[in-house]
Amino acid sequence: MKTQNINHAFLDGVLEGKYPDVYYHFGVSSDDPILKNFKDVKAVIMCGSGGRIIEFADKWSKMNKNKKIYALPKEERFVTRYCAGVLFASHGMGMPSASICLQELMRMIFFLKDGNLDEMDKVFWARVGTSGGVGLEGGTVVVTTDGLMADLKPYRALNGGLGEYWFDGRFPVKIAQDIIDANCDSGIPIAMGKTVAGNEFFLEQFRLDGAVCMENLQSKMNWLNWIHKNGVRNIEMEGAMMAGYLNHWGFSKFAMICCTLLNRLNGDQVTATKEKLHTYSENSGVVLFNYLKKTVK
Ligand code: URA
């Protein structure tokens, strides 16, 4: 892992024992004994919902001889489980929420791996989620190659001079391909492509069914056709930030695996039955676990 960008000014003092790092939104600090059990972490898996995190951890435990599952105490923001080398954490919805989760997890990984860049770089990160397909029917799993904002530019945030910091939204394509290869017999439809992270479910995904609607059919379709022509295959709300922050530190193993709930070229409302939605979201979990099984030993 080659990086100039780790916040050593703050994090080195944690390793030197000058002060603990407070992972406030997870309800633990770096000096909490529970974290000793997480030292062997090999993968960090994030998804929006806390319920899904609990299901994932149970499944992973069953796949690993019922190994013990640890839970961090605070669950009002993010639900966290650790089992057999995998840290599972929910991140809520959208980049403001997910960025808090990811930043605290990156600091936690730095602490757990004693700031050793080679050890940190062995950690695999993934977000598993739901999305709107662009030209793909519900139930397709998209493995992302690039995370972009709705203007097809990378994630950025305001800086102190009120200009912008720009982040690199690329996902490592080799990892995306390995995930697809690990699933060639799964029978699940899988595609690889760019993903737009909208800053809003309605406005920045150009829906016509929000309480606040600023688009019409023509402007919506112009946007959808434009992003489709530029290689975008799905729309969600976190990936551009996730890739941006992980690239900023120089991690080399990360991915985003999202199932589509609908084809946005055909509409805006998510109308699939509960059973169908369950199968769709199972699909992305199956794709993840087929990869984890092969890579996390
Ligand atoms: N998640 C999104 O962000 N958009 C969709 O259309 C579906 C799921």
Side-chain angles (χ1 to χ4, degrees):
M1 190 162 152
K2 290 189 214 98
T3 179
Q4 311 289 316
N5 293 324
I6 290 175
N7 182 8
H8 288 290
F10 172 65
L11 291 171
D12 287 0
V14 178
L15 292 187
E16 288 157 15
K18 290 186 183 150
Y19 41 81
D21 192 357
V22 180
Y23 312 114
Y24 166 69
H25 299 86
F26 290 97
V28 284
S29 298
S30 52
D31 55 2
D32 191 309
I34 195 170
L35 290 189
K36 291 204 165 64
N37 302 298
F38 295 19
K39 281 240 159 217
D40 192 32
V41 60
K42 297 181 178 77
V44 180
I45 306 302
M46 293 176 285
C47 68
S49 115
R52 203 137 187 249
I53 287 301
I54 295 169
E55 280 171 29
F56 277 175
D58 286 345
K59 186 167 172 182
W60 185 241
S61 176
K62 288 199 182 84
M63 288 164 71
N64 285 277
K65 303 181 184 149
N66 292 315
K67 273 219 171 132
K68 181 169 171 169
I69 300 174
Y70 297 88
L72 293 182
K74 178 168 166 177
E75 304 217 314
E76 72 203 56
R77 300 294 183 196
F78 306 128
V79 173
T80 317
R81 295 288 182 271
Y82 178 87
C83 176
V86 182
L87 179 57
F88 298 92
S90 64
H91 57 59
M93 275 188 283
M95 291 187 269
S97 173
S99 63
I100 298 169
C101 174
L102 181 58
Q103 291 226 28
E104 293 194 1
L105 290 173
M106 287 164 69
R107 281 161 35 194
M108 209 182 280
I109 292 299
F110 180 86
F111 172 73
L112 290 169
K113 301 298 179 190
D114 297 315
N116 180 316
L117 298 186
D118 291 334
E119 290 305 310
M120 286 164 65
D121 200 30
K122 289 180 190 159
V123 175
F124 167 67
W125 299 77
R127 177 180 122 67
V128 180
T130 57
S131 61
V134 185
L136 298 172
E137 296 311 315
T140 311
V141 171
V142 179
V143 187
T144 300
T145 56
D146 297 82
L148 301 164
M149 307 281 288
D151 57 4
L152 296 188
K153 294 183 179 141
Y155 177 73
R156 59 256 185 214
L158 284 181
N159 67 30
L162 297 189
E164 283 174 331
Y165 297 117
W166 286 61
F167 291 85
D168 177 356
R170 285 172 296 176
F171 283 76
V173 175
K174 157 100 174 64
I175 301 282
Q177 190 58 56
D178 289 348
I179 291 170
I180 290 179
D181 293 348
N183 280 281
C184 51
D185 299 329
S186 66
I188 295 171
I190 309 188
M192 219 196 310
K194 296 179 188 171
T195 300
V196 161
N199 245 330
E200 229 268 28
F201 188 84
F202 297 96
L203 288 184
E204 274 208 7
Q205 300 191 24
F206 296 75
R207 283 184 148 84
L208 302 182
D209 61 343
V212 177
C213 178
M214 314 295 272
E215 304 302 324
N216 55 47
L217 186 59
Q218 183 163 11
S219 65
K220 171 182 103 162
M221 291 313 295
N222 284 348
W223 180 73
L224 286 169
N225 288 328
W226 176 63
I227 63 172
H228 185 250
K229 199 176 75 195
N230 280 284
V232 172
R233 293 296 170 261
N234 64 338
I235 307 165
E236 47 80 72
M237 297 180 67
E238 292 86 12
M241 176 281 301
M242 178 191 167
Y245 287 5
L246 293 174
N247 279 324
H248 190 67
W249 268 29
F251 285 104
S252 59
K253 289 165 59 180
F254 57 92
M256 186 159 73
I257 302 168
C258 289
C259 68
T260 58
L261 303 183
L262 74 165
N263 181 357
R264 283 294 314 284
L265 296 184
N266 296 336
D268 295 337
Q269 297 228 309
V270 180
T271 53
T273 61
K274 208 169 146 215
E275 291 72 31
K276 274 216 154 146
L277 290 174
H278 183 73
T279 313
Y280 292 173
S281 105
E282 283 276 291
N283 283 357
S284 51
V286 170
V287 168
L288 167 76
F289 281 102
N290 282 341
Y291 179 74
L292 283 186
K293 242 176 3 199
K294 291 202 164 161
T295 51
V296 176
K297 303 249 159 71

